[in-house]
Amino acid sequence: MTGILKAIADDEQDLPYLLIGGHAVALHGIPRNTFDLDLMIRERDVEGWIRFFEERSLTPFHRSENFVQFRGDVSTPPVDLMLVTEATFSKLAAASEWKSVGGLEIRVPAAKHLVALKLHAIQQEKRRLKEKDWGDVVALIEGCGLKLDDGDFSSL
């Protein structure tokens, strides 16, 4: 994972992102095994990200309105891009936290926003990993001290 993140950090393009998914859950202190790399990006940046990953021999193999999935050789983890509007990205980025990964500083959504993302994923009809998502939701709530009766949290 850190190899791709280092390549992103070293790249001179302005392609902002937030690390989401299992790695983000783990960076909030919740033990979590995951192999793929999940990034939230602004939908307007998708073509730049596609070029970035293709230049590094990752090939898009699935694309929908809100997602692009890449895979490379066995030494490179799959990468999933979640495309969001400028407003959504700005809101989550403004409340994001900096976490250290292999000497890099990476922005990760706040725990409450990760819970909201997981709840959104669970609602998707074709989602395969709903049990893992529910486990992440419970672990984030408990491990990060989120209060279900907090008006800000419950509005998510």
Side-chain angles (χ1 to χ4, degrees):
M1 171 188 71
T2 55
I4 293 175
L5 292 176
K6 175 114 175 65
I8 293 169
D10 291 345
D11 193 72
E12 294 181 13
Q13 298 181 66
D14 182 27
L15 295 172
Y17 69 95
L18 295 172
L19 180 67
I20 59 174
H23 289 292
V25 171
L27 288 172
H28 275 287
I30 311 301
R32 174 74 151 68
N33 290 326
T34 188
F35 182 65
D36 67 339
L37 183 66
D38 299 295
L39 304 176
M40 175 185 286
I41 67 163
R42 301 177 303 197
E43 57 192 3
R44 70 180 173 120
D45 295 331
V46 68
E47 296 307 321
W49 281 104
I50 289 172
R51 280 190 304 280
F52 174 85
F53 287 117
E54 287 179 336
E55 289 169 1
R56 285 149 186 87
S57 300
L58 284 118
T59 306
F61 70 92
H62 176 75
R63 185 170 180 175
S64 67
E65 183 179 345
N66 298 314
F67 290 94
V68 182
Q69 296 177 294
F70 298 84
R71 63 176 153 216
D73 62 28
V74 294
S75 67
T76 307
V79 176
D80 296 341
L81 299 180
M82 177 181 188
L83 287 56
V84 297
T85 65
E86 180 75 37
T88 297
F89 187 87
S90 294
K91 178 180 178 180
L92 271 66
S96 67
E97 301 173 19
W98 289 97
K99 302 287 185 176
S100 182
V101 178
L104 300 171
E105 293 298 312
I106 307 296
R107 287 192 334 182
V108 176
K112 66 182 180 181
H113 290 142
L114 281 176
V115 168
L117 290 169
K118 290 290 183 178
L119 292 173
H120 176 74
I122 289 167
Q123 293 178 28
Q124 305 310 305
E125 187 176 315
K126 295 181 181 182
R127 182 73 175 167
R128 296 174 319 168
L129 304 171
K130 290 184 182 192
E131 294 80 16
K132 191 177 268 192
D133 289 330
W134 277 117
D136 289 344
V137 167
V138 171
L140 283 164
I141 290 169
E142 291 175 351
C144 296
L146 300 176
K147 305 291 182 209
L148 296 178
D149 59 353
D150 176 346
D152 184 43
F153 178 70
S154 64
S155 70
L156 292 172

